[in-house]
Amino acid sequence: MDYFLQQFINGLTLGGVYALVALGYTMVYGIIQLINFAHGEIFAAGGYMGVILLSFLAAHGLMETSPWLCLGLSMVLSMGYCAMLAMAVEKIAYKPLRHSSRLSVLLSALGMSIFLQNGLMLTQGVYDKAYPIGFTSGGFDIGTLHINYMQVIILGLTTVLLLALNTLVYKTRIGKAMRATAQDKVMSALVGINSNRVIAVTFAIGAALAAAAGIMVGLYYGSVRYDMGFVPGIKAFAAAVLGGIGNITGAMIGGLIIGMVEIMAAAYIPHGGEYKDVFAFVILILVLYFMPTGIMGENVDDTRV
């Protein structure tokens, strides 16, 4: 039982990261029916910006005196940077093709993904960059259950960000504009909603969440790599589809399921660690076979993003 609880916590930790990244996919799709395949590279860019800022602060001795303040500052700046990067990507790669065929937009998204990944490789190098993780090391025991501090940070921060996103979408003026644009772009424009601004804000919010996830992954595993966004990006997209593409709650649930399946498969199935990615996508295929619109179904009412 203790072993199961240990793996359950590990699954929640990984699933929370997938959920944050999946929200970017599902929000953008909810607004403009676009699969932003460059989103995984935004996630990686957030991880790199985090290590750059934390290393800079550590070099000036600030990490020794105020490590948590430095982490908070680095996360806010990284989220802001990735938000601006995502808005630039939308303006350059997607906005000119908004009225083109879906194939053209898809090719543009794939091209932007390759461009950003190679940009990270050329500017940051092909080798891993290590995070200064001394202040997050260690943990505590509850009986035979061991929980490290980074897991607590990830679970706590993920919960805060998900609650903040729900509040933004359902309780604020810009959230109402996002939901209106997702339902009917023509009618929302007629009542004075600037769809271009709403789309840009949607990209920015999704990118900020991905940047936070990138920093947490870097802190959890101790390093980042230029191509670290590809596999988590695909899994987060699978989580968004699994939960019901375009549905915020579905993306959260899908991310948790994918993370849990991956961890449990590695823990309980012989050689499961070698095939954990396969099990995650098998679950996705089964769900889509029996429920083609995902667990939460398609959004057709005001719960759409």
Side-chain angles (χ1 to χ4, degrees):
M1 187 61 181
D2 290 335
Y3 182 72
F4 172 80
L5 289 175
Q6 185 73 66
Q7 301 309 317
F8 183 79
I9 292 173
N10 294 339
L12 283 180
T13 304
L14 185 61
V17 171
Y18 289 156
L20 287 177
V21 183
L23 285 167
Y25 284 105
T26 206
M27 290 173 66
V28 168
Y29 185 87
I31 296 289
I32 56 175
Q33 286 73 56
L34 163 70
I35 303 300
N36 179 20
F37 283 111
H39 193 59
E41 279 56 54
I42 299 292
F43 160 81
Y48 266 101
M49 183 55 64
V51 74
I52 290 170
L53 291 171
L54 286 174
S55 298
F56 174 81
L57 294 172
H60 287 76
L62 297 175
M63 287 292 290
E64 296 179 3
T65 57
S66 305
W68 298 106
L69 179 62
C70 291
L71 176 59
L73 178 63
S74 298
M75 185 159 290
V76 170
L77 292 177
S78 298
M79 292 171 73
Y81 166 77
C82 287
M84 290 187 291
L85 177 62
M87 288 192 289
V89 167
E90 189 275 331
K91 189 173 183 64
I92 295 170
Y94 302 142
K95 187 176 179 180
L97 300 174
R98 198 169 292 167
H99 301 293
S100 302
S101 66
R102 291 199 175 189
L103 180 60
S104 299
V105 182
L106 175 64
L107 292 175
S108 180
L110 292 172
M112 184 56 68
S113 172
I114 296 171
F115 174 80
L116 291 176
Q117 185 178 123
N118 281 272
L120 284 174
M121 181 184 68
L122 292 173
T123 57
Q124 303 301 322
V126 297
Y127 300 108
D128 294 5
K129 280 187 176 290
Y131 260 77
I133 58 174
F135 68 105
T136 60
S137 61
F140 56 92
D141 296 321
I142 302 177
T144 59
L145 188 66
H146 180 76
I147 302 174
N148 64 53
Y149 295 133
M150 200 58 229
Q151 287 178 316
V152 176
I153 294 171
I154 291 176
L155 291 174
L157 188 57
T158 298
T159 301
V160 170
L161 290 174
L162 294 179
L163 291 175
L165 177 63
N166 268 287
T167 302
L168 176 71
V169 171
Y170 296 110
K171 303 293 184 182
T172 65
R173 186 181 181 88
I174 186 64
K176 185 181 291 186
M178 291 165 64
R179 288 184 283 125
T181 304
Q183 283 184 338
D184 193 319
K185 293 179 181 60
V186 175
M187 286 303 298
S188 63
L190 290 175
V191 297
I193 295 175
N194 187 334
S195 62
N196 289 328
R197 186 169 74 92
V198 169
I199 293 169
V201 169
T202 302
F203 270 86
I205 294 171
L209 295 175
I215 292 176
M216 289 189 285
V217 166
L219 287 169
Y220 190 63
Y221 292 106
S223 64
V224 290
R225 183 179 168 84
Y226 76 94
D227 58 353
M228 64 177 278
F230 178 73
V231 173
I234 295 297
K235 289 181 181 177
F237 170 64
V241 176
L242 177 62
I245 190 73
N247 191 300
I248 287 180
T249 305
M252 298 177 190
I253 295 173
L256 292 174
I257 291 175
I258 293 292
M260 200 67 67
V261 167
E262 184 174 327
I263 292 297
M264 292 300 178
Y268 287 101
I269 297 177
H271 305 292
E274 301 174 14
Y275 304 101
K276 60 182 185 299
D277 298 340
V278 174
F279 291 113
F281 286 102
V282 166
I283 295 296
L284 173 65
I285 292 170
L286 291 175
V287 169
L288 292 184
Y289 182 81
F290 293 104
M291 292 182 289
T293 57
I295 294 173
M296 300 296 292
E298 285 189 36
N299 281 306
V300 292
D301 56 13
D302 64 354
T303 61
R304 193 168 185 174
V305 177

